[in-house]
Amino acid sequence: MTLYLPRTTTSQISEELAAERHSVGGGAMSMVLTLIIVTDEADHYDAVRAATEAGHEHPSRVIALIRRDPDAEPAIDAEIRRPGTAGPGEALLLRLYGPLGEHPDSVVIPLLVPDAPVVAWWPGQGPTDPASDPVGQIAHRRITDALRAEDPVNDLLDRIRHYRPGDTDLAWTRLTPWRSLLASTMDQPCGWVTAAEVTAEPHYPSAELLASWLSDQLEVPVERKESDGPGITGARLVTDCGDIAINRLDGRVATLSRPNQPDQQVALSRRHAAEALAEELRRLDADEIYGRTAHHVRSRMKRTGATA
């Protein structure tokens, strides 16, 4: 069931949520966190759908803050999707008019699940410094997506300059299958790795992170090469026993090649937002590996004099 509250207030929304909890005998007690989505009208449908899919694994109160006409009078139009309508959790779609769009924290704080962690997600253009953003300041984890920016790589690099523990980006989360596969190739004797390379479509932020992660973990130079995509199309480790190569040209299945072994076909599909978001919601502490990779990227920028 969906309840519509045009031109409402946070007090009225809270009263409706409390009434729902009484009617079902709990409600918010089953929510493991509050997921705040900061978005606009164009992106909110896909973002809420991804959060709903992720909610099957992490029942949450999803609060979508949808900014509307900034010149209008202050107002809130609310849409409450009760449990069962939006998966096992509940969803609040709040359309903010006028100056409320610039102060979304004042709207969302009264609606947080009590004593539960808060995660903020910007599915579109995110803030340069998420931890200083009004919504980011109340969140334990802050998730952005550099791929949605006009200049994805510079957007990622600029945000990394402001990195603080708790920040992450879906450009990093999309790398999990690649990092797992590359790490597994090192479980078998393969010789000493002396260099590496990452091949991907131009301006693809995940490729920059993968190259920095490999360089940090293996302490070797990593070359970034370009291809026609989609996404990352290959990674190669140069060892004194021969090359270990992963090539994925269709975005779904990769070929793993190792010295003195037959080639192997490996499932390596590109990840959708819901899958990446669900992974991020599994951990509510800071991602130390991403933090190390971000530090490595910053160090490389200082050495080369690069600016975001």
Side-chain angles (χ1 to χ4, degrees), residues 16-245:
E16 290 294 338
L17 293 174
E20 174 65 18
R21 286 197 296 272
H22 287 303
S23 67
V24 299
M29 297 303 101
S30 62
M31 307 297 169
V32 298
L33 57 88
T34 301
L35 173 62
I36 305 172
I37 306 174
V38 184
T39 183
D40 55 25
E41 198 67 54
D43 289 335
H44 89 274
Y45 177 82
D46 289 337
V48 172
R49 183 174 63 179
T52 299
E53 293 180 24
H56 289 285
E57 184 177 339
H58 313 279
S60 312
R61 173 174 292 170
V62 177
I63 304 177
L65 302 176
I66 306 168
R67 295 174 176 173
R68 296 297 296 268
D69 185 359
D71 297 323
E73 291 296 320
I76 304 172
D77 286 345
E79 181 180 334
I80 302 176
R81 299 178 182 177
R82 294 187 170 107
T85 305
E90 59 191 10
L92 313 179
L93 277 61
L94 307 181
R95 289 175 170 84
L96 309 181
Y97 295 84
L100 286 177
E102 300 302 319
H103 304 281
D105 52 318
S106 63
V107 176
V108 77
I109 287 176
L111 304 175
L112 303 178
V113 175
D115 303 318
V118 177
V119 178
W121 177 34
W122 292 266
Q125 184 73 44
T128 299
D129 185 357
S132 295
D133 181 87
V135 172
Q137 290 179 9
I138 62 176
H140 298 79
R141 295 294 309 281
R142 298 167 292 275
I143 305 171
T144 52
D145 192 352
L147 190 59
R148 298 293 306 279
E150 293 184 5
D151 188 340
V153 172
N154 275 338
D155 182 75
L156 176 68
L157 295 179
D158 200 17
R159 194 170 292 119
I160 280 177
R161 291 177 57 200
H162 298 88
Y163 170 83
R164 298 188 213 178
D167 292 352
T168 192
D169 195 282
L170 293 188
W172 170 254
T173 321
R174 294 185 183 99
L175 288 178
T176 299
W178 278 95
R179 295 193 298 120
S180 298
L181 183 55
L182 284 164
S184 70
T185 65
M186 306 298 292
D187 290 341
Q188 302 180 26
C190 61
W192 193 263
V193 179
T194 57
E197 68 180 36
V198 173
T199 305
E201 63 184 78
H203 314 297
Y204 194 67
S206 295
E208 310 304 324
L209 289 172
L210 183 60
S212 289
W213 175 75
L214 283 171
S215 180
D216 178 54
Q217 296 294 315
L218 300 175
E219 298 182 348
V220 298
V222 179
E223 184 179 0
R224 168 71 165 92
K225 293 187 173 182
E226 293 187 354
S227 69
D228 293 332
I232 297 174
T233 55
R236 184 167 67 98
L237 305 180
V238 179
T239 81
D240 50 18
C241 294
D243 290 355
I244 300 172

Side-chain angles (χ1 to χ4, degrees), residues 284-295:
L284 296 173
D285 57 333
D287 187 336
E288 296 180 359
I289 302 301
Y290 177 68
R292 281 187 53 179
T293 302
H295 176 75

